[in-house]
């Protein structure tokens, strides 16, 4: 019988199935084998390091860090925002009435979060017992037998006894039960029943009668006392014993992972209040040695959550110490791409393992090296690099390199996809952002701010697709007020305010005067105040969006 000859390996060539990764980390099949462990990951994964918040722009790798924690850590709990009853609380007649009546619900939200954290950690460390109510009684016996009797121990046991029946429920049902218990307590203290909007004088009764102001004031005062009197001592005691009884093994720390918090954001301020309470509650868990609550949040969403919020409990500087702001160097992005390319070559059985510099064009007299060309057209994010490489490699099927022809051909679709992604990323902050980008279309790559004429500005103000009562509408009203006093001042202020926003979202960079250097929000100062923008400021359209905005192409 003739022996089978072993098929020799062939040099690397692009194939139709070649993909450098997916936009969503949870769908990225290369993430596990190609994860780049940076200093940011080291801080987040270290249970003793206080850093627990991952903040950054879309596509910077926030979810990738959480996914890596799942692969590396034995004990972790994933909190799904879909199970946290945001919609239920938003639809609660009681919550709406209390908020409209000026009742601060911080303590109530804090109770919700702490209860969810405590219960989810308990469920994780008692997986077998979680299928029956005996789990709680077993935990109570363990506390009794481990800790000498004291007031805190008795409080912990009382809390577990009171809420034991809810342990098996999903977080949404537990939150609903806490809400209903709070509602019954408030009804009892007020001594009234009926629709909450009527109780607090926000609407007339079915008979058309309005509640007396004296009664409204008294009821609001009682409601505030009920909220401020929410007792969390029992819950605090359980939290304390999580660290001393349940999490008593330093080799078994527990991570609570929270992602996709922005999925339910909208115009209702309630969700922002709940997330603010979450950030405060996470800080309060820093005294539990073997628990780390890790959350990921886009920086623009965090800015909106914090904007205009005043509370003694919410101290921005203190909470900011717990966060990392994700940024990538060009070398780290190259290392990431090299590792993915190496994994692709290995998976297809290629005889060689090329690097990024091997498959991209070299520098010539007309153009920079292909690697530099791509990086210049990103906001220094892995998602941008992966997207560009995916689009270029799809054109190079059957080849072992991506030529300048393919790179330039891929740039158009890439630029369009990044432009659409940017609009989506900032939709919560600036829903009509696309209208303002008209000020950039067909402009030179760099131009003075004074090139924006009044005609250009009026075209935006009169666009019928603009949202009423939106941010552009606010700028328009301010412009019209200023114009009646000083026409030139009104024009300058509008230009400054618009440029400040275009800079913040990353569409443009600026050079604020002679001798100044070019700067962008993603690698420099994230926010540019309007009063920092002088008349000689240059607007620099980021190369990522040149194709999408027809930059350098005349009308």
């Amino acid at each position: 019988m003739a022996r089978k000859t072993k098929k020799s390996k062939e040099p690397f060539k692009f194939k139709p199935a070649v993909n450098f990764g997916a936009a969503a980390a949870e769908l990225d099949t290369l993430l596990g084998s190609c994860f780049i462990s940076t200093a940011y990951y080291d801080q987040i994964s270290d249970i003793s390091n206080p850093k627990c918040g991952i903040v950054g722009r879309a596509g910077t790798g926030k979810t990738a860090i959480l996914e890596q924690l799942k692969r590396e850590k034995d004990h972790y709990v994933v909190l799904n925002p879909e199970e946290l009853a945001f919609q239920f609380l938003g639809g609660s007649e009681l919550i709406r009435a209390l908020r409209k009546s000026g009742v601060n619900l911080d303590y109530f939200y804090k109770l919700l979060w702490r209860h969810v954290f405590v219960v989810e950690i308990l469920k994780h460390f008692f997986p077998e017992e979680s299928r029956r109510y005996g789990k709680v009684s077993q935990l109570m016996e363990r506390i009794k037998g481990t800790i000498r009797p004291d007031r805190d121990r008795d409080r912990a046991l009382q809390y577990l006894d009171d809420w034991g029946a809810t342990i098996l429920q999903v977080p949404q049902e537990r939150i609903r039960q806490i809400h209903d218990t709070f509602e019954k307590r408030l009804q009892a203290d007020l001594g009234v029943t009926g629709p909450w909007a009527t109780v607090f004088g926000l609407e007339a009764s079915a008979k058309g009668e309005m509640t007396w102001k004296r009664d409204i004031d008294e009821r609001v005062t009682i409601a505030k006392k009920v909220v401020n009197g929410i007792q969390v001592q029992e819950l605090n005691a359980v939290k304390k014993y999580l660290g001393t009884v349940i999490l008593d093994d330093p080799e078994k720390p527990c991570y609570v992972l929270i992602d996709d918090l922005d999925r339910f954001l909208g115009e209702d301020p309630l969700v922002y209040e709940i997330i603010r309470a979450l950030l405060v509650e996470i800080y309060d868990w820093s005294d539990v040695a073997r628990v780390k609550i890790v959350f990921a949040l886009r920086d623009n969403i965090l800015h909106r959550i914090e904007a205009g919020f005043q509370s003694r409990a919410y101290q921005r500087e203190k909470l900011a110490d717990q966060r990392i702001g994700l940024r990538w160097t060009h070398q780290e992005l190259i290392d990431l791409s090299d590792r993915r390319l190496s994994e692709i070559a290995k998976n297809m059985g290629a005889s060689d393992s090329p690097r990024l510099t091997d498959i991209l064009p070299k520098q010539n007299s007309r153009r920079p090296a292909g690697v530099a060309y791509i990086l210049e057209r990103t906001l220094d994010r892995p998602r941008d690099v992966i997207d560009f490489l995916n689009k270029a490699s799809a054109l190079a099927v059957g080849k072992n390199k991506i030529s300048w022809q393919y790179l330039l051909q891929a740039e158009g679709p890439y630029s369009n996809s990044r432009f659409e992604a940017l609009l989506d990323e900032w939709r919560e902050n600036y829903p009509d952002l696309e209208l303002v980008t008209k000020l950039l279309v067909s402009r030179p790559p760099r131009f003075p701010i004074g090139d924006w004429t009044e005609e250009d500005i009026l075209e935006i103000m009169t666009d019928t697709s603009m949202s009423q009562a939106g941010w552009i509408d606010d700028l328009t009203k301010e412009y019209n007020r200023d114009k009646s006093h000083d026409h030139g001042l009104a024009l300058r202020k509008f230009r400054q305010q618009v440029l400040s926003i275009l800079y913040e979202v990353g569409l443009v960079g600026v050079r604020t005067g002679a001798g100044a250097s070019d700067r962008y929000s993603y690698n420099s100062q994230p926010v540019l105040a309007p009063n920092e923008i002088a008349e000689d400021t240059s607007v620099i359209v980021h190369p990522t969006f040149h194709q999408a905005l027809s930059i350098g192409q005349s009308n």
Side-chain angles (χ1 to χ4, degrees), residues 52-309:
C52 59
I54 312 167
V55 178
R57 292 198 59 157
T60 51
K62 300 183 297 298
T63 300
I65 289 179
L66 297 182
E67 292 295 320
Q68 185 67 12
L69 285 173
K70 294 179 189 177
R71 284 186 288 270
E72 282 195 354
K73 305 304 178 182
D74 294 327
H75 298 286
Y76 65 87
V77 174
V78 178
L79 279 185
N80 187 346
E82 293 180 348
E83 298 179 351
L84 296 179
F86 287 163
Q87 295 96 328
F88 166 70
L89 291 175
S92 165
E93 182 188 344
L94 169 61
I95 299 299
R96 289 201 308 269
L98 290 175
R99 291 173 64 238
K100 288 181 180 178
S101 300
V103 178
N104 189 319
L105 293 168
D106 286 352
Y107 284 117
F108 177 68
Y109 301 145
K110 192 176 185 66
L111 171 67
L112 297 180
W113 282 117
R114 184 158 299 187
H115 182 84
V116 168
F117 291 152
V118 164
V119 171
E120 290 303 310
I121 293 172
L122 288 176
K123 287 176 63 177
H124 173 75
F125 280 94
F126 290 85
E128 294 301 322
E129 291 80 6
S130 66
R131 297 182 179 86
R132 57 185 184 273
Y133 180 73
K135 166 190 176 179
V136 179
S137 61
Q138 177 182 342
L139 175 59
M140 292 169 70
E141 290 302 318
R142 185 170 180 180
I143 291 177
K144 288 178 182 178
T146 308
I147 305 295
R148 62 182 176 81
D150 60 20
R151 189 176 181 183
D152 280 344
R153 188 195 78 155
D154 293 340
R155 284 174 171 168
L157 295 175
Q158 184 62 50
Y159 187 86
L160 292 173
D161 188 54
D162 290 343
W163 293 96
T166 72
I167 294 295
L168 301 182
Q169 297 175 348
V170 296
Q172 185 172 13
E173 289 303 316
R174 292 198 295 273
I175 290 175
R176 188 187 300 269
Q177 183 167 347
I178 292 175
H179 169 277
D180 293 346
T181 301
F182 171 63
E183 186 171 35
K184 291 176 182 177
R185 166 72 188 279
L186 187 57
Q187 286 174 332
D189 284 22
L190 291 175
V192 295
T193 58
W196 287 112
T198 302
V199 169
F200 289 102
L202 302 171
E203 295 177 2
S205 67
K207 298 179 180 180
E209 300 172 343
M210 290 298 294
T211 307
W212 289 94
K213 186 179 184 305
R214 180 183 64 249
D215 294 335
I216 294 172
D217 292 343
E218 182 181 350
R219 291 169 185 174
V220 169
T221 300
I222 293 173
K224 289 179 178 179
K225 288 181 179 178
V226 172
V227 173
N228 293 333
I230 289 176
Q231 298 296 309
V232 295
Q233 289 95 331
E234 292 85 358
L235 193 51
N236 289 341
V238 181
K239 171 174 165 274
K240 173 184 175 182
Y241 286 121
L242 278 174
T244 57
V245 179
I246 308 304
L247 302 170
D248 54 354
D249 186 346
E251 299 300 318
K252 295 181 180 179
C254 182
Y255 296 79
V256 179
L257 311 179
I258 309 173
D259 197 6
D260 294 327
L261 284 168
D262 54 341
R263 184 178 297 177
F264 300 101
L265 294 179
E267 293 306 313
D268 190 349
L270 170 65
V271 178
Y272 296 93
E273 294 173 12
I274 294 173
I275 296 179
R276 279 194 295 262
L278 164 67
L279 302 183
V280 175
E281 177 61 18
I282 289 175
Y283 183 87
D284 289 345
W285 279 78
S286 59
D287 61 349
V288 181
R290 285 175 281 277
V291 171
K292 192 168 195 177
I293 302 173
V294 181
F295 70 94
L297 195 62
R298 296 209 314 262
D299 50 8
N300 60 307
I301 298 299
L302 178 63
H303 175 72
R304 181 167 182 182
I305 288 170
E306 294 184 332
F309 184 71

